[in-house]
Amino acid sequence: MATSECGEPERRFGRTRSDSQHTEAWKRHIIRQLKYRDKAQKTLFQDLIRSYLSLLERCTQKAFITKGLLSVTRPLLHPSSEDSPSSLKRATGELAYQVVELQHEIKIKETCLEKQHARLRECQNDLGAVQLEHGRLQASVADVEEGNRLLKSKYDLLLERHQHTEQAYRKEELSGSELLEDMIRWKQQAAERMNSRNERRVRAREAGRNKHPEAASSKTFNFDEELQSASSPSSSSTSSSPSSPSFLRSESNERVERVQGRLFRSASATSPRFLGSIKGLFERKRRGSSICNLEEHISSPLGICLAARVPTKAVHLLDAHELGINAVRFSPRSNLLATGGTDRVIKLWDIAAGMLHYRGTLDGSNEGITSIEFDSTGTRILAASYDNSALFWRLDDFVPKFTLTGHSRKVTAARFKSHLKQVVTGSADRTVKIWDLQRAACIRTIEVLSYCSDAVCSEYYIISGHYDRKIRFWDSRAASCTQEVPLQGRVTSLDISPNHRELLSCSRDESLQLVDLRMSNARMAFRADGFKCGSDSTKAIFSPDGSYLVAGSADGAVYIWNVGTGKLETQLPDLHRSSVNAVAWSMSGEYVVSVDKSRKAILWSDI
């Protein structure tokens, strides 16, 4: 019974679901039939509807036109009774005229439209040509870039080879210098051994003579007698016999001369000139033929200044150049003065009776002169120039012997090295170059981080001053910076004391700095009220005895400091009309010369 009761509702529920599904089916069928009928009937009337819409649109346009015409012709259609026909004719003519004008305007517009279409076609053609040219240029750019990449790869390869070659060259140069030092050391040892042997021989002979003093005295007496008898003709026959006293004396003299000759030769073997000749022979063998004569390397004896005299007054004033003067230098013998300026020449002056006498002019520079340097013999002059070069003259020829070119900007300093066969130049292109005078070629380039304003050098070291307020010490054999000394202003000049123990620098912080080269941390500053560094190339120097410092100021005065006391010794009157660029102190210690931007040179003395 329970089973039947439960089963009955289930069957009832099943019938209800089937009935609902059947109802949904016939509804969907009816909807589909209605959509189909609507589509079929609408298709039949679609053309009619479009035609109706077109007619309706035309009617609307006509109504609009009619309305406009009515507004225009209403006064004409209802005129007064007298002139209605004439008014109608006039209105009709005006309308016709307007129609003609509109047609003319339409033609003009059509002509303009055709021209614009033609211009548009031309622009399209030009655009096509430009696009073609653009494509061609892009292809050429791609080719150039590819060529640049190939060139860059070749350049990198060549640069790498150059670096390897330069490293090998430096190694060979170092090995050559080591061989030279070994050779010199062996020669010194051989000379010492020869000296010791000669000394032993001399001592042995002196000891032998001391053993027989009576015989030695008798021989001396016999020598005197023989000299007296040699004056007579009868003595000529006996003077040549081996047993005669004269023969003994001549033999003893020859022995003494041979001993003295050996002593002289052994002593000269260790002299600097002998070692220099060995070094010169080695360098000539290594470098080839020289363009300089051997006489140029022989240093003439120079005077030594025992005490410089502080000048007190101006003894001679003159306009030395046509334009401003940048450099001045005395020769080592103090009898010749050289001045160089922006007028591209170096003028030579003789000093006699407290006056400057014109001697000659050295031509050859294409731009102004920035610095001048005499060699130690006083027969050659080296100058730096604004034309990116350094020039070399002999005093017996007013034309440069050769020009050192290789810098890319102006050369601010040119100095002889101590052995006079090399030259050091500093430039605004941030390089310092070492030149071989025998070949007139650059043998080493030192890259620096800043504008080089001045440089000084010794045998193996180069000291340079720069705009980045630093003094740099370079080992010229390895081209490496060994030390940097910072300052408070741009460095304008450098100078080394006569004993090579102190370095003087002038900088734009209106001071001079004295650096002890043995202890670079020990420094002394020199200042004075009124002293002002006038330019980036103002020169300050030592006196020839190293006791004083002298520099020119922007106000036209010359200031002299005492190195021992650190105080201002004197201030020479401001006779210059403009900033003093450079000063020079004669080796004799008697004269000081100052030059300025207004082409004036003044000779100072205490006489």
Side-chain angles (χ1 to χ4, degrees):
M1 188 68 179
T3 304
S4 61
E5 292 177 357
C6 293
E8 188 64 25
E10 290 178 359
R11 285 193 296 271
R12 196 183 308 116
F13 178 75
R15 286 196 298 270
T16 304
R17 180 177 296 179
S18 62
D19 292 341
S20 64
Q21 291 178 353
H22 181 71
T23 302
E24 291 293 333
W26 66 260
K27 285 182 179 180
R28 285 193 298 272
H29 177 70
I30 291 172
I31 291 170
R32 281 196 301 272
Q33 290 297 323
L34 289 173
K35 287 182 178 181
Y36 177 75
R37 187 185 68 178
D38 181 67
K39 183 177 181 182
Q41 292 179 357
K42 187 176 181 180
T43 302
L44 294 175
F45 295 98
Q46 191 71 29
D47 294 336
L48 183 60
I49 292 170
R50 281 197 296 270
S51 299
Y52 172 75
L53 293 175
S54 177
L55 289 173
L56 183 62
E57 184 178 357
R58 291 179 181 178
C59 290
T60 304
Q61 292 177 354
K62 288 181 178 180
F64 179 75
I65 294 171
T66 303
K67 184 178 180 181
L69 290 174
L70 288 174
S71 63
V72 173
T73 59
R74 185 175 289 113
L76 302 175
L77 293 176
H78 303 283
S80 60
S81 58
E82 313 110 26
D83 55 352
S84 59
S86 60
S87 299
L88 181 60
K89 290 179 181 180
R90 187 169 56 253
T92 304
E94 290 179 356
L95 290 174
Y97 181 73
Q98 290 179 0
V99 169
V100 172
E101 286 184 348
L102 291 174
Q103 288 178 352
H104 183 66
E105 291 179 358
I106 289 171
K107 289 181 180 179
I108 293 174
K109 296 293 183 181
E110 288 177 351
T111 304
C112 293
L113 185 62
E114 290 178 358
K115 290 181 180 179
Q116 290 180 355
H117 282 302
R119 182 180 294 179
L120 179 61
R121 286 192 295 271
E122 291 178 359
C123 292
Q124 288 177 349
N125 293 332
D126 294 341
L127 179 61
V130 169
Q131 288 178 347
L132 291 175
E133 182 68 16
H134 177 68
R136 187 181 65 80
L137 291 176
Q138 281 185 337
S140 63
V141 167
D143 295 338
V144 171
E145 289 179 349
E146 182 66 23
N148 287 338
R149 283 194 291 271
L150 293 176
L151 290 176
K152 182 65 167 56
S153 61
K154 291 181 181 179
Y155 171 76
D156 293 337
L157 181 61
L158 291 175
L159 183 61
E160 186 177 358
R161 291 179 180 176
H162 172 70
Q163 291 175 352
H164 289 311
T165 304
E166 188 174 3
Q167 291 177 358
Y169 169 74
R170 289 178 180 177
K171 290 181 181 179
E172 292 296 331
E173 193 173 16
L174 289 175
S175 63
S177 62
E178 291 176 356
L179 288 174
L180 177 61
E181 292 176 357
D182 292 340
M183 183 177 179
I184 293 174
R185 186 172 60 255
W186 294 337
K187 291 293 183 180
Q188 289 176 347
Q189 292 175 358
E192 291 176 357
R193 288 194 296 270
M194 185 181 297
N195 288 335
S196 63
R197 287 197 298 268
N198 291 333
E199 289 177 359
R200 287 196 298 269
R201 291 175 182 174
V202 171
R203 289 174 183 173
R205 290 180 181 178
E206 289 179 353
R209 291 193 187 98
N210 293 331
K211 289 181 180 179
H212 306 284
E214 296 178 355
S217 62
S218 64
K219 287 182 182 180
T220 303
F221 177 77
N222 293 332
F223 290 161
D224 296 335
E225 288 183 350
E226 183 62 23
L227 288 174
Q228 294 175 1
S229 62
S231 60
S232 62
S234 59
S235 62
S236 59
S237 60
T238 59
S239 60
S240 60
S241 61
S243 59
S244 63
S246 62
F247 179 81
L248 294 175
R249 182 180 180 184
S250 63
E251 184 179 3
S252 62
N253 288 335
E254 289 175 0
R255 289 178 181 176
V256 172
E257 289 174 359
R258 285 197 298 271
V259 172
Q260 291 177 351
R262 285 195 296 268
L263 287 173
F264 176 77
R265 288 193 296 271
S266 63
S268 63
T270 58
S271 63
R273 182 174 295 179
F274 178 76
L275 299 178
S277 63
I278 294 174
K279 185 176 180 181
L281 290 173
F282 184 81
E283 290 183 354
R284 284 195 292 273
K285 184 183 293 183
R286 183 177 61 185
R287 298 178 179 175
S289 61
S290 171
I291 64 172
C292 300
N293 297 326
L294 291 176
E295 295 177 357
E296 296 179 358
H297 303 299
I298 300 176
S299 299
S300 59
L302 303 177
I304 298 176
C305 179
L306 300 179
R309 295 183 292 183
V310 178
T312 57
K313 61 182 179 179
V315 295
H316 191 201
L317 291 81
L318 78 161
D319 290 335
H321 285 254
E322 297 179 359
L323 298 174
I325 308 174
N326 299 325
V328 60
R329 183 75 63 174
F330 274 100
S331 67
R333 295 183 180 180
S334 304
N335 61 341
L336 188 65
L337 180 74
T339 58
T342 54
D343 55 358
R344 307 180 182 181
V345 298
I346 294 177
K347 291 190 176 182
L348 303 177
W349 309 85
D350 288 323
I351 301 177
M355 296 183 66
L356 296 175
H357 301 277
Y358 175 73
R359 177 174 176 180
T361 300
L362 303 180
D363 296 314
S365 176
N366 296 321
E367 295 291 341
I369 303 297
T370 59
S371 74
I372 300 173
E373 177 85 348
F374 277 96
D375 69 341
S376 60
T377 66
T379 60
R380 301 183 297 175
I381 289 181
L382 180 68
S385 173
Y386 281 103
D387 64 354
N388 309 340
S389 67
L391 298 93
F392 181 84
W393 286 272
R394 289 176 59 103
L395 291 184
D396 56 1
D397 188 1
F398 292 148
V399 179
K401 189 172 183 179
F402 52 80
T403 303
L404 305 176
T405 58
H407 287 286
S408 60
R409 295 183 64 185
K410 68 177 180 180
V411 179
T412 55
R415 302 278 188 171
F416 285 103
K417 293 196 75 175
S418 58
H419 49 65
L420 304 181
K421 295 180 181 180
Q422 291 181 355
V423 167
V424 175
T425 58
S427 171
D429 62 1
R430 302 182 179 183
T431 62
V432 175
K433 291 181 180 290
I434 304 175
W435 307 81
D436 185 358
L437 291 182
Q438 293 180 327
R439 295 180 296 172
C442 178
I443 60 176
R444 188 177 298 280
T445 299
I446 302 174
E447 299 289 340
V448 195
L449 299 176
S450 178
Y451 181 117
C452 179
S453 57
D454 200 1
V456 293
C457 54
S458 62
E459 179 69 22
Y460 296 112
Y461 284 92
I462 299 171
I463 307 173
S464 57
H466 302 275
Y467 271 21
D468 62 354
R469 306 178 181 181
K470 289 184 180 179
I471 300 174
R472 291 178 171 87
F473 293 76
W474 305 89
D475 186 348
S476 60
R477 295 168 294 183
S480 60
C481 183
T482 60
Q483 188 178 1
E484 290 184 354
V485 177
L487 298 180
Q488 299 299 320
R490 288 182 179 180
V491 181
T492 65
S493 70
L494 297 175
D495 194 25
I496 293 183
S497 63
N499 58 9
H500 287 257
R501 294 179 181 177
E502 294 169 323
L503 176 69
L504 172 65
S505 67
C506 180
S507 57
R508 293 307 299 269
D509 62 346
E510 327 305 348
S511 70
L512 307 183
Q513 296 282 338
L514 196 62
V515 180
D516 192 336
L517 295 178
R518 296 166 296 180
M519 298 178 293
S520 59
N521 293 328
R523 290 190 242 170
M524 182 183 298
F526 295 83
R527 302 178 186 271
D529 294 337
F531 174 75
K532 185 176 181 181
C533 188
S535 68
D536 291 336
S537 59
T538 300
K539 300 294 188 293
I541 61 169
F542 280 98
S543 64
D545 62 350
S547 300
Y548 301 98
L549 310 178
V550 58
S553 175
D555 59 1
V558 178
Y559 292 77
I560 301 177
W561 289 268
N562 190 309
V563 175
T565 61
K567 297 180 180 180
L568 184 66
E569 184 73 17
T570 185
Q571 176 184 346
L572 300 179
D574 49 348
L575 299 180
H576 289 278
R577 296 190 297 267
S578 61
S579 175
V580 178
N581 283 336
V583 290
W585 204 317
S586 64
M587 183 60 68
S588 63
E590 183 178 0
Y591 296 107
V592 171
V593 174
S594 57
V595 295
D596 61 21
K597 291 183 178 180
S598 62
R599 68 186 182 179
K600 184 180 292 295
I602 301 179
L603 181 66
W604 306 86
S605 180
D606 62 341
I607 299 175

